[in-house]
Amino acid sequence: MSIEDYDVEGADDEALDLEDADRINACLDSLPSREADIIRMNVIDGLSFVEISGILSIPQSTAKSRYKSGMEKLRKLFIK
């Protein structure tokens, strides 16, 4: 990204987004890896639970339950 592409007017919003992203990543790092990995695969990589279950060789229902459990923990950590 060149300096000309940087939106100076939206800089504060972008800084807040980066701060939130850093906080979310820190919270994700504190989760069990089996939950954090599934959240990252779904949210960041855009993989479906069918794809995740195939990659991790786990049932789709397990992928969904780990996602749900991890998201609940993530919300609690992020709110603190």
Side-chain angles (χ1 to χ4, degrees):
M1 181 173 177
S2 71
I3 193 71
E4 291 83 19
D5 295 333
Y6 192 74
D7 179 13
V8 175
E9 292 178 5
D12 290 337
D13 292 338
E14 289 177 19
L16 288 176
D17 290 343
L18 289 175
E19 288 175 19
D20 286 344
D22 287 344
R23 259 184 81 205
I24 291 169
N25 277 320
C27 291
L28 276 170
D29 289 342
S30 70
L31 295 178
S33 63
R34 64 187 207 170
E35 293 172 350
D37 291 345
I38 290 173
I39 292 171
R40 285 184 173 114
M41 292 171 89
N42 180 260
V43 176
I44 296 170
D45 299 332
L47 298 176
S48 70
F49 291 110
V50 172
E51 294 169 314
I52 293 169
S53 66
I55 292 168
L56 298 177
S57 300
I58 59 174
Q60 185 178 347
S61 60
T62 301
K64 287 180 180 180
S65 66
R66 288 181 184 172
Y67 174 85
K68 183 179 178 195
S69 174
M71 287 300 284
E72 289 172 2
K73 292 175 186 175
L74 185 61
R75 283 184 191 99
K76 288 177 185 176
L77 289 169
F78 192 76
I79 290 171
K80 286 184 179 181

